[in-house]
């Protein structure tokens, strides 16, 4: 006598990246990566028959395109990837700290290898430019990622991979909120506000929980049309570069 049928496996969106994408454990409050909130934002946009999808976040604090593989995270991600899945790649924050992971060299080479391996499993790779840091000088928002965003765009064109321009999206978001208003997107906590951080926190690289939710809400409309090609075009946001 046969047992009950197993439910069909849901499509997966798997995330590989650094701390700006990664989930955080409770003692790291109020910091959070946008990947932790992508599932709710994305599934709210997908039409019947295209969702829900299961978001698996295997990003890690401090990860580079090299360390993600060396620490076994990339192998674990590929092991859970099958045809029909989507794999999101967002690196750069930590790669730029290593001379051999330069934008046009090791960084691009590692991303290209990841893309080929994802495609070998019948899954869809998607590249993301690194999210912007909130680094101001004399009232001007600085560019801190050098050639890394450009390298992602060039690789996307070369290998015909979709690119989500999260650098432009988050930079536009910071500029829209202004130097003071954009503080809420990042890890800010006054001394004594929480026993977890008695000395407070000033972090303009890593998102707060509010910031992670807001960024996930920006990522979802960019990603949803790749999962559901018939999705109404008006659900996608206007690219940051086209905003007034």
């Amino acid at each position: 006598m046969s047992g009950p049928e197993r439910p069909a496996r849901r499509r997966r969106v798997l995330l590989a990246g650094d701390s700006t994408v990664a989930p955080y454990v409770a003692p790291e409050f109020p910091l959070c990566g946008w990947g932790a909130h992508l599932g709710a934002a994305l599934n709210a946009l997908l039409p019947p028959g295209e969702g829900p999808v299961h978001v698996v976040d295997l990003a890690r604090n401090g990860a580079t395109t090299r360390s993600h593989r060396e620490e076994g995270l990339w192998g674990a991600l590929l092991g859970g990837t099958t045809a029909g899945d989507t794999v999101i790649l967002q690196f750069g924050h930590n790669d730029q700290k290593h001379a051999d992971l330069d934008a046009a060299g090791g960084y691009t080479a590692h991303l290209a290898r990841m893309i080929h391996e994802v495609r070998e499993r019948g899954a869809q790779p998607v590249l993301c430019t690194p999210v912007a840091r909130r680094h101001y000088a004399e009232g001007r928002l600085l560019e801190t990622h050098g050639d890394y965003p450009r390298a992602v765009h060039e690789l996307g064109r070369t290998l015909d991979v979709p690119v989500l321009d999260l650098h432009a999206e988050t930079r536009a978001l910071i500029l829209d909120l202004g130097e003071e208003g954009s503080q809420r997107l990042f890890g800010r906590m006054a001394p004594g506000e929480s026993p977890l951080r008695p000395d407070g926190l000033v972090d303009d690289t890593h998102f707060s929980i509010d910031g992670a939710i807001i960024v996930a809400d920006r990522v979802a409309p960019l990603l949803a049309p790749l999962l559901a090609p018939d999705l109404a075009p008006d659900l996608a946001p206007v690219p940051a570069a086209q905003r007034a």
Side-chain angles (χ1 to χ4, degrees):
M1 185 174 179
S2 61
E5 292 186 6
R6 298 179 63 182
R9 179 187 179 278
R10 287 191 290 170
R11 281 194 301 170
R12 291 181 176 179
V13 172
L14 300 104
L15 309 179
D18 54 40
S19 55
T20 61
V21 186
Y24 283 69
V25 296
E28 293 173 312
F29 178 84
L31 302 181
C32 188
W34 61 259
H37 298 281
L38 179 62
L42 182 60
N43 282 309
L45 295 179
L46 293 177
E50 297 290 352
V53 297
H54 183 197
V55 175
V56 181
D57 192 349
L58 287 176
R60 181 183 178 92
N61 292 17
T64 67
T65 51
R66 180 178 58 212
S67 71
H68 197 272
R69 181 183 299 276
E70 291 177 343
E71 294 177 7
L73 289 167
W74 183 246
L77 183 149
L78 287 179
T81 301
T82 60
D85 290 341
T86 300
V87 177
I88 311 296
L89 306 172
Q90 188 216 281
F91 293 92
H93 276 77
N94 302 302
D95 292 77
Q96 67 180 160
K97 302 172 185 177
H98 302 272
D100 62 335
L101 297 177
D102 56 304
Y107 175 70
T108 296
H110 284 294
L111 285 176
R113 182 181 175 188
M114 289 174 164
I115 289 166
H116 291 309
E117 291 170 338
V118 169
R119 284 175 165 165
E120 286 175 352
R121 283 155 178 78
Q124 178 184 31
V126 176
L127 289 166
C128 298
T129 55
V131 294
R133 297 182 178 97
R134 183 191 167 277
H135 288 190
Y136 273 89
E138 299 179 350
R140 183 172 63 90
L141 181 62
L142 303 178
E143 291 277 5
T144 66
H145 287 297
D147 292 332
Y148 286 82
R150 183 184 303 111
V152 173
H153 284 292
E154 291 176 355
L155 183 61
R157 286 191 292 270
T158 299
L159 297 183
D160 192 24
V161 177
V163 174
L164 309 185
D165 195 351
L166 302 192
H167 182 263
E169 282 290 324
T170 51
R171 184 174 172 84
L173 176 61
I174 293 168
L175 290 170
D176 286 347
L177 292 173
E179 185 172 0
E180 295 301 318
S182 60
Q183 291 184 28
R184 66 182 286 246
L185 300 175
F186 293 88
R188 295 282 178 138
M189 188 170 280
E193 186 175 343
S194 169
L196 293 174
R197 298 186 184 273
D199 297 327
L201 178 68
V202 177
D203 185 331
D204 288 321
T205 295
H206 301 98
F207 298 120
S208 64
I209 292 175
D210 282 351
I213 293 171
I214 291 169
V215 173
D217 285 343
R218 295 288 184 109
V219 176
L222 298 174
L223 178 59
L226 299 178
L227 303 180
D230 294 332
L231 195 65
D234 58 358
L235 287 179
V238 177
Q242 297 179 13
R243 295 180 184 146

